[in-house]
Amino acid sequence: MNEQEFLTKLKEDILDTEQTISMDTVLQDIEEWDSLSFVSLIAMVKVATGKKLDHKAIQAAETVQDLYNLVK
Amino acid sequence: MKIHVIEGVRIKRIACTVPQQQYALAEYAPNLFDEKSAKRMARGTGFAQLRIAPEQVTTADLCAQSAEHVLAGVDKEQVGAMVFVSQTPDYVLPATSHVLQNRLGLSNDTLCLDINEGCAGWVSGLYAAANCCKNMKTDVCFGGGDTISKLTHPEDRATRSIFGDAGTATLLEPGPGRLVFAFQSFGESKDAIIVRNRAARREHPQAEHDGTLYLDGGAIMEFALDKVPVAINEMLQACGQTVENVSLFACHQANQLILRSLADELGVAREKVPFTAGKIGNESSASIPLVLSAVQEQTELTQVCCCGFGVGLAIGIAMADFSAVEFLGVDTL
């Protein structure tokens, strides 16, 4: 999954937000970054890449870039 | 994986009860969700509406109503045990099974057992009830359910958006039948779903969720994708079965996202792992009888794999033939 694909999936499928999201966006600044988006991300990544994300690593992520680093 | 077989026990009847009160998310938690965010939440979790018990209705009330249905016409002197599985008992003590024994008119010779379990609890309770039935050679009444809404914090989005209330009753009797069980416990992950500072142990006095339910959604998702499908596959292997042979996976209704992912992990069609709790909520130990009740008319029930998973963390799996069970439906209270 490239950066653009990841941003689109994150914004539309996971967060379902109208906010502008870039790789530098701080996760805490996104209103929809909540427990639902957290589990949706794990499910999406599993389906898209077969990878099982570690929930502690997701918790430690601060920016969208940090999340992408876990996924790519 | 260790499997445990109980023969000579038949599941006779199953009945369920939910509270009359049913709320859309934005209506139930207007402080947390507006129409738009409620829709987004419901799209993900699958829970568009929640059944919420009013203050005066407890799990015991919901289970008692279900139990009245399954016990109709049964000689109550022939009921040897009353098993009650819940995390929301009426009292710290006495055990709620005693309250139910009296309320249902069961004899003074009844063994009363309360089991503190949640999402995996229906399977643990069924095992306890089936053992009593086998050993006592009597009918056994098994109530299971929760009113988790009484434990969620009004400001907690993660729990307030998914939990609904329900109570169930299952009647077991000696007869032809074969139940196969397996259990797993991961006590090291107890903190993933926990209510602190409400029972005897006092700790973290400043904790944000003091006395109310804390749920680590990410940890549960990981558990559901990692441990649960492996456990189900090991169980099937131990029973000489394959996922193709199983007619239905009656799984705990954690949320829609988890059930879809679980189906994908098992490599079965999502319809084989149905999500039917969209207008009730995550019903804790009531979820398996509720999903069975919802699909029984249009589903082959000869080879059913029931799987509860969650708080503990724990997994309970039961393989059984439910085709001769009398389903008495879902009533309201």
Side-chain angles (χ1 to χ4, degrees):
Chain A
M1 199 179 329
N2 67 33
E3 280 191 14
Q4 199 47 54
E5 287 166 352
F6 177 70
L7 279 175
T8 306
K9 274 198 183 297
L10 186 67
K11 182 174 157 58
E12 288 170 14
D13 300 347
I14 312 269
L15 296 166
D16 194 5
T17 181
E18 282 161 14
Q19 257 175 267
T20 307
I21 305 289
S22 71
M23 295 307 271
D24 302 328
T25 306
V26 174
L27 295 168
Q28 288 308 321
D29 294 342
I30 307 170
E31 195 193 326
E32 289 85 359
W33 179 244
D34 58 5
S35 57
L36 172 64
S37 39
F38 204 101
V39 297
S40 304
L41 177 72
I42 297 176
M44 181 276 279
V45 172
K46 183 71 192 49
V47 172
T49 71
K51 262 191 200 176
K52 281 180 189 162
L53 291 187
D54 174 17
H55 74 279
K56 286 185 184 129
I58 304 176
Q59 261 159 359
E62 288 176 8
T63 64
V64 170
Q65 181 71 53
D66 293 341
L67 284 184
Y68 181 63
N69 292 343
L70 298 172
V71 173
K72 70 175 178 187
Chain B
M1 169 162 292
K2 292 173 184 159
I3 64 166
H4 314 284
V5 180
I6 299 180
E7 284 178 328
V9 172
R10 187 170 99 84
I11 300 172
K12 189 176 184 196
R13 291 175 180 157
I14 291 178
C16 307
T17 306
V18 295
Q20 276 173 14
Q21 291 76 7
Q22 188 174 31
Y23 304 99
L25 197 49
E27 193 183 0
Y28 174 54
N31 54 323
L32 301 174
F33 302 98
D34 57 21
E35 290 292 339
K36 185 172 173 288
S37 59
K39 270 196 186 136
R40 167 185 173 268
M41 202 70 182
R43 263 200 305 275
T45 62
F47 300 120
Q49 292 180 330
L50 302 173
R51 292 278 180 175
I52 302 294
E55 195 178 7
Q56 72 277 11
V57 172
T58 68
T59 307
D61 297 326
L62 298 167
C63 288
Q65 181 161 313
S66 301
E68 296 282 2
H69 294 321
V70 300
L71 289 169
V74 170
D75 176 4
K76 290 183 179 170
E77 291 297 317
Q78 289 308 309
V79 177
M82 175 72 230
V83 177
F84 180 65
V85 173
S86 185
Q87 301 164 115
T88 45
D90 276 7
Y91 309 104
V92 170
L93 58 91
T96 304
S97 47
H98 295 293
V99 178
L100 289 169
Q101 170 265 319
N102 175 57
R103 190 161 156 183
L104 298 169
L106 303 181
S107 84
N108 296 121
D109 293 328
T110 306
L111 166 67
C112 290
L113 289 178
D114 267 35
I115 297 175
N116 179 344
E117 271 289 12
C119 319
W122 193 75
V123 178
S124 327
L126 185 67
Y127 182 68
N131 271 297
C132 291
C133 181
K134 167 100 180 166
N135 189 250
M136 294 173 163
K137 300 180 178 62
T138 62
D139 292 354
V140 171
C141 183
F142 159 37
D146 262 315
T147 43
I148 295 292
S149 66
K150 296 179 194 298
L151 298 177
T152 57
H153 193 286
E155 298 294 330
D156 187 50
R157 287 170 64 98
T159 55
R160 207 67 171 175
S161 57
I162 62 169
F163 285 100
D165 301 328
T168 68
T170 302
L171 184 71
L172 294 88
E173 65 176 13
R178 185 171 195 268
L179 302 167
V180 186
F181 294 90
F183 299 98
Q184 288 192 322
S185 173
F186 304 90
E188 65 273 24
S189 302
K190 72 174 197 314
D191 294 333
I193 313 179
I194 193 164
V195 178
R196 292 184 192 279
N197 294 330
R198 194 138 167 166
R201 185 171 297 282
R202 298 288 137 179
E203 54 186 10
H204 304 300
Q206 304 301 318
E208 193 185 332
H209 290 84
D210 243 13
T212 61
L213 180 64
Y214 167 75
L215 182 137
D216 181 344
I220 303 307
M221 188 68 186
E222 201 178 292
F223 174 70
L225 287 182
D226 196 12
K227 298 284 197 292
V228 178
V230 172
I232 291 176
N233 278 320
E234 283 182 12
M235 172 68 161
L236 294 178
Q237 202 175 0
C239 296
Q241 295 288 345
T242 62
V243 287
E244 290 77 29
N245 292 344
V246 174
S247 56
L248 172 72
F249 290 91
C251 290
H252 169 58
Q253 304 283 293
N255 67 46
Q256 183 171 253
L257 200 63
I258 285 182
L259 288 192
R260 285 180 175 173
S261 304
L262 186 55
D264 296 348
E265 283 291 308
L266 289 170
V268 299
R270 287 175 173 181
E271 301 77 63
K272 237 177 167 178
V273 191
F275 175 76
T276 60
K279 291 184 174 175
I280 306 173
N282 174 331
E283 322 95 333
S284 186
S285 51
S287 60
I288 293 173
L290 275 161
V291 66
L292 286 168
S293 299
V295 303
Q296 50 94 14
E297 275 184 10
Q298 65 276 14
T299 308
E300 169 78 49
L301 296 178
T302 46
Q303 189 65 261
V304 178
C305 176
C306 301
C307 180
F309 55 90
V311 62
L313 296 176
I315 301 174
I317 307 175
M319 300 279 295
D321 178 349
F322 284 82
S323 56
V325 175
E326 294 169 46
F327 287 93
L328 306 182
V330 182
D331 201 0
T332 58
L333 173 64

